[in-house]
């Protein structure tokens, strides 16, 4: 999985994606391999859009736009097998958080018999944001980080997503 840092070269990185679509919170990237989505990625404001280059990227783009209209819809596109067994357990716990609700890193850690920092690292490594709604995980004292960021536009995206879902 490629971790994107979006300083210089973000446009070059976006060109390497199978699609970049416009969602209400900003540009969103899709990377596919072997008939499955390999990675979904938040992109910085101003990133150029890329028309889906493959059928699977087109299906993922359609499903993501449909999610904006109805966040209860399941994501019908296959996801590539990713992550360690621990990260998969964390992502399963995150996926079980109902829309409009949040859980803290500590709450998830207690459920998993782990540490909050390990849960945070698994959240930051989530290759399928929106499908695995890591934006629903917060710190015990507030918003927390998001996609390995502690400030800037990514936290604006997290705020937008939580407000969109009606979370308090």
């Amino acid at each position: 999985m490629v971790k994107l840092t979006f300083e210089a070269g973000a446009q070059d990185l976006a060109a390497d994606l199978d699609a970049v679509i416009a969602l209400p919170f900003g540009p969103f990237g899709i990377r596919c391999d072997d008939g499955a989505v390999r990675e979904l990625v938040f992109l910085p404001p101003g990133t150029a859009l890329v028309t889906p280059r493959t059928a699977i990227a087109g299906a993922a783009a359609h499903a993501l736009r449909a999610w904006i209209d109805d966040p209860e819809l399941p994501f019908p596109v296959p996801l590539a097998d990713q992550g360690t067994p621990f990260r998969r357990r964390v992502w399963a716990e995150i996926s079980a958080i109902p829309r409009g609700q949040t859980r803290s890193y500590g709450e998830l850690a207690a459920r998993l018999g782990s540490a909050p920092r390990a849960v945070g690292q698994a959240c930051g490594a989530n290759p399928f944001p929106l499908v695995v709604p890591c934006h629903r995980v917060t710190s015990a004292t507030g918003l927390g980080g998001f996609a390995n960021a502690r400030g800037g536009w990514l936290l604006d995206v997290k705020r937008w997503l939580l407000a969109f879902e009606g979370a308090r």
Side-chain angles (χ1 to χ4, degrees):
M1 175 171 50
V2 176
K3 277 296 163 195
L4 306 175
T5 56
F6 310 114
E7 301 302 325
Q11 297 303 329
D12 294 337
L13 210 45
D16 188 41
L17 295 166
D18 294 297
V20 176
I21 62 172
L23 292 177
F25 53 78
F28 197 69
I30 302 166
R31 185 182 318 278
C32 304
D33 284 334
D34 302 322
V37 173
R38 175 145 311 281
E39 184 178 24
L40 299 172
V41 147
F42 296 104
L43 296 167
T47 300
L49 302 182
V50 175
T51 301
R53 296 180 175 146
T54 66
I56 197 81
H62 177 76
L64 290 162
R65 289 183 189 112
W67 178 83
I68 293 296
D69 293 332
D70 183 359
E72 295 298 324
L73 288 175
F75 190 76
V77 182
L79 301 173
D81 195 21
Q82 299 257 26
T84 65
F86 174 74
R87 285 181 175 176
R88 289 181 195 177
R89 286 179 42 224
V90 172
W91 299 336
E93 286 292 325
I94 293 169
S95 295
I97 302 170
R99 184 171 58 89
Q101 296 183 26
T102 61
R103 301 288 184 273
S104 72
Y105 298 102
E107 288 172 306
L108 292 179
R111 289 182 55 87
L112 293 163
S114 183
R117 180 165 288 186
V119 169
Q121 289 170 341
C123 286
N126 175 11
F128 308 118
L130 299 185
V131 177
V132 176
C134 53
H135 58 276
R136 296 178 187 159
V137 183
T138 61
S139 79
T141 59
L143 192 61
F146 189 52
N148 294 315
R150 297 211 174 266
W153 62 270
L154 280 166
L155 286 187
D156 292 338
V157 170
K158 184 174 185 172
R159 285 183 196 94
W160 187 93
L161 289 167
L162 290 172
F164 171 72
E165 293 185 342
R168 292 190 272 152

